[in-house]
Amino acid sequence: MWSADFSTFTISGGSSCLDQESASIIKAKYNSAENTGLKRKSTSSPLKECKKRRKDSKHSRSLKRYLSFGDTPLESDDNLLSEETYIADGSRPYCLPTVAGQHRDLKSITADTMKDLLNGKYNGGINSYRVIDCRYPYEFNGGHIKNAENCYLEEHIDELLLQTLQRGNTTDEIIIFHCEFSSKRGPKLCRYLRSKDRQMHGRDYPQLHFPEIYLLEGGYKCFYQTHKHFCEPIDYVPMLHDEYKEDVRHFRSKTSTLKRNCSH
């Protein structure tokens, strides 16, 4: 590396000194090359530069649009709205406080936030909400969050979307998904809803029927452990309960069959 006065050059931790005349010649050549670079003008016209910037900007926007689960917001004239703050169609901020959960592409809420929602703390900012319990029926019947709906198949999500076409505008309604631990079944159907919702709107990106959806972090187990008085009945049946081994095989088989039929 050359020193600031070009008199010393270091190689692999060692150093060697040049005589003053050699250093002066090298320094003069360096300054000459630097000045030439500063005086060099762009050969492209302002119009071409503008088109290039627009093309690059359009390309970066198209990449950003598909970076994640679908939470890329709308653009404004000045800059992009915050992806962490605005819902998936960019129309308004999220109503509920979110946390960095196990699935970073999904917006997660805590059991305490779910409890506050049930208690009416967010009634001033939320018109309506639906809790989608993605566990199997025997788990749901054994104990679930009050007013939750049992949807454990993709066809149940299709029916939910079909209902929105009949009811009209649902963009103000929020959806909270969960399963036993919110590790697999809940996140899977949460992503499925967003994917189908995008497909239904085709080129009308980023419009959605349900732009604000959440995942309950820790699932029903976590919620039950801290807020069981919000469950009905007040009980918790694990998926792998010894009494329901046949039910586990049945519902897993049903889910696999549906997947194969959809792929064909």
Side-chain angles (χ1 to χ4, degrees):
M1 179 181 293
W2 289 106
S3 65
D5 61 356
F6 291 82
S7 62
T8 304
F9 180 74
T10 304
I11 302 176
S12 302
S15 65
S16 60
C17 296
L18 299 174
D19 57 72
Q20 191 63 33
E21 182 179 0
S22 299
S24 299
I25 292 173
I26 294 173
K27 184 174 182 180
K29 288 183 178 180
Y30 177 87
N31 290 336
S32 176
E34 187 180 46
N35 292 334
T36 302
L38 290 173
K39 293 179 180 180
R40 186 180 293 114
K41 295 182 179 180
S42 175
T43 57
S44 60
S45 66
L47 179 60
K48 289 183 178 180
E49 290 292 330
C50 182
K51 288 181 177 180
K52 184 177 184 301
R53 285 196 299 270
R54 288 180 179 177
K55 182 178 180 181
D56 293 341
S57 176
K58 182 178 180 181
H59 178 63
S60 65
R61 288 199 302 270
S62 65
L63 289 177
K64 181 178 282 293
R65 172 173 169 176
Y66 297 103
L67 281 178
S68 66
F69 160 65
D71 292 334
T72 305
L74 285 169
E75 293 178 48
S76 66
D77 293 336
D78 299 323
N79 51 27
L80 284 172
L81 301 175
S82 171
E83 183 176 350
E84 294 301 318
T85 303
Y86 285 78
I87 61 176
D89 66 357
S91 62
R92 65 177 187 272
Y94 279 91
C95 296
L96 302 179
T98 59
V99 295
Q102 179 183 356
H103 301 270
R104 297 304 180 92
D105 62 318
L106 306 179
K107 299 298 180 183
S108 299
I109 63 171
T110 64
D112 288 339
T113 298
M114 183 75 249
K115 178 261 299 180
D116 290 339
L117 180 63
L118 294 170
N119 266 337
K121 179 178 179 179
Y122 300 99
N123 286 353
I126 294 176
N127 291 330
S128 62
Y129 65 89
R130 300 171 74 170
V131 180
I132 305 299
D133 189 328
C134 304
R135 296 176 300 154
Y136 297 143
Y138 67 89
E139 299 173 82
F140 180 84
N141 294 332
H144 57 266
I145 297 173
K146 290 181 179 179
N147 300 320
E149 305 171 46
N150 191 204
C151 300
Y152 60 94
L153 295 173
E154 292 177 355
E155 62 185 25
H156 296 155
I157 302 301
D158 294 335
E159 292 172 5
L160 186 150
L161 283 166
L162 183 59
Q163 293 171 9
T164 66
L165 298 178
Q166 300 170 349
R167 292 167 50 200
N169 182 33
T170 60
T171 56
D172 290 336
E173 186 173 61
I174 71 172
I175 307 289
I176 300 109
F177 284 85
H178 77 85
C179 53
E180 184 176 5
F181 308 109
S182 286
S183 61
K184 186 174 181 180
R185 291 175 290 176
K188 173 192 168 187
L189 290 184
C190 185
R191 294 185 181 101
Y192 181 79
L193 172 63
R194 177 52 51 78
S195 176
K196 295 293 288 188
D197 204 347
R198 289 288 188 208
Q199 290 178 24
M200 290 175 70
H201 285 85
R203 295 181 179 274
D204 296 329
Y205 180 89
Q207 295 182 23
L208 292 164
H209 289 303
F210 296 106
E212 188 168 1
I213 58 181
Y214 300 91
L215 181 70
L216 177 60
E217 182 68 11
Y220 181 76
K221 180 179 181 180
C222 179
F223 184 83
Y224 178 79
Q225 289 174 340
T226 53
H227 307 295
K228 62 177 63 178
H229 53 286
F230 285 97
C231 302
E232 53 185 15
I234 302 178
D235 202 356
Y236 164 42
V237 176
M239 183 185 76
L240 299 179
H241 194 287
D242 290 339
E243 295 182 10
Y244 297 97
K245 291 181 179 179
E246 289 298 324
D247 296 85
V248 171
R249 282 193 286 268
H250 168 73
F251 289 112
R252 280 180 170 173
S253 175
K254 190 172 182 180
T255 304
S256 300
T257 301
L258 181 63
K259 285 182 180 178
R260 289 194 295 270
N261 290 338
C262 289
S263 63
H264 291 317

